[in-house]
Amino acid sequence: MAAGNCHQGEWRLFLTLRAHLAPGDILCADRGYGNFVMSAWLQTLKADIIARVPTGARRVDFRGTRRRHGRGDALFVWRKPPRPSPLLDREEWRALPAALTVRLLRHRVTRKGFRTREFTLVTTLLDPALYPARELLDAYLSRC
């Protein structure tokens, strides 16, 4: 656990936990972490992520996939942003790859009496045989 004050951002606090991340760890996180920088940074540590893609931050069009695994389950290539992240030092930024293959999963939650919601998850767990979409969705939904 990392604790801070109201002047410290969640990402900065998380980065202080890097010594506790081991190869093979899987971070299951909210939409604040579902981006290129966090996904690529975790890959440099040989760790993986399951996170929600921020609404409106990245338009996801499943017609432009690299490889489709099923309906709402496909591989995409995310490119490194042109501007360095202020959260990473120069060496960490340079260590990030120019592009990263990620798996996106679109899921619709319907519950009687509630509004239907749709969200998209990003993960670096690419193999659908080892990591079925249902298990990844269950892991994300049970994180609370």
Side-chain angles (χ1 to χ4, degrees):
M1 180 175 100
N5 59 40
C6 63
H7 302 291
Q8 293 174 300
E10 190 175 324
W11 259 58
R12 285 213 190 275
L13 289 171
F14 175 75
L15 292 175
T16 66
L17 299 174
R18 76 183 82 207
H20 302 286
L21 291 170
D25 281 352
I26 300 171
L27 174 69
C28 195
D30 65 21
R31 70 180 108 203
Y33 296 86
N35 57 54
F36 175 88
V37 174
M38 182 57 71
S39 301
W41 181 76
L42 285 168
Q43 286 286 277
T44 65
L45 302 174
K46 299 193 180 345
D48 290 288
I49 190 168
I50 303 169
R52 189 167 166 189
V53 175
T55 308
R58 180 181 288 270
R59 183 164 152 65
V60 179
D61 185 354
F62 276 80
R63 294 174 296 179
T65 67
R66 183 167 177 221
R67 181 176 183 182
R68 189 177 298 272
H69 294 308
R71 182 180 168 95
D73 183 357
L75 298 182
F76 288 80
V77 175
W78 280 3
R79 306 247 174 255
K80 188 176 187 177
R83 279 192 323 226
S85 171
L87 299 170
L88 302 178
D89 62 36
R90 252 185 218 158
E91 278 65 36
E92 286 176 315
W93 180 256
R94 285 189 196 127
L96 298 183
L100 178 68
T101 300
V102 294
R103 183 176 171 195
L104 298 182
L105 303 163
R106 181 165 288 152
H107 183 67
R108 183 179 296 242
V109 177
T110 54
R111 193 178 293 169
K112 190 173 182 172
F114 291 89
R115 179 174 48 174
T116 299
R117 291 185 44 174
E118 185 174 276
F119 61 89
T120 304
L121 296 182
V122 59
T123 184
T124 50
L125 301 167
L126 306 180
D127 189 339
L130 286 174
Y131 307 101
R134 184 77 247 165
E135 288 183 22
L136 296 173
L137 289 165
D138 288 345
Y140 177 77
L141 292 171
S142 68
R143 77 190 198 293
C144 298

